[in-house]
Amino acid sequence: MDDTLTLPLADVLPGIVLAAPVLDHSGAVLLPAGLSLTEAQLDGLRRRDVATLLVIRPEDAEARARKQERIRARVMYLFRHTADDAGSQALLHAVLAFRQETGQ
């Protein structure tokens, strides 16, 4: 399954991630690939008459929940010997938050 999708700018919502950089008419990079778009950035693209964007296909809620649970289980496994240790709690939570945010 292809992980990218070409969408008309009117259908792009804030939070969608660019799969490719957005270039202007001269080839200069306006926005880099991997950027999670904000409403202000979308407004700027509208002003520049950008028609379509190549974005990373959003996951459905169920697939995202399964992925988050796999990440949580992996982190808990990594911290299995120290998860109850008060000194490790901050690190465990930081690693879990990072991995869930980045999807790793």
Side-chain angles (χ1 to χ4, degrees), residues 16-87:
I16 287 188
V17 178
L18 290 172
V22 179
L23 308 176
D24 68 6
H25 65 281
S26 65
V29 176
L30 296 175
L31 298 172
L35 181 70
S36 179
L37 293 167
T38 65
E39 186 60 43
Q41 291 161 333
L42 291 170
D43 286 341
L45 294 174
R46 286 183 200 103
R47 285 192 303 273
R48 291 181 174 266
D49 293 324
V50 172
T52 61
L53 295 175
L54 185 62
V55 298
I56 295 175
R57 185 181 302 275
E59 294 178 294
D60 65 9
E62 191 175 303
R64 182 166 176 75
R66 285 191 307 270
K67 184 176 183 180
Q68 293 295 327
E69 180 53 32
R70 283 193 306 270
I71 290 169
R72 190 197 67 73
R74 176 65 179 150
V75 170
M76 294 308 292
Y77 176 78
L78 293 172
F79 281 84
R80 67 190 176 280
H81 298 296
T82 60
D84 295 329
D85 180 33

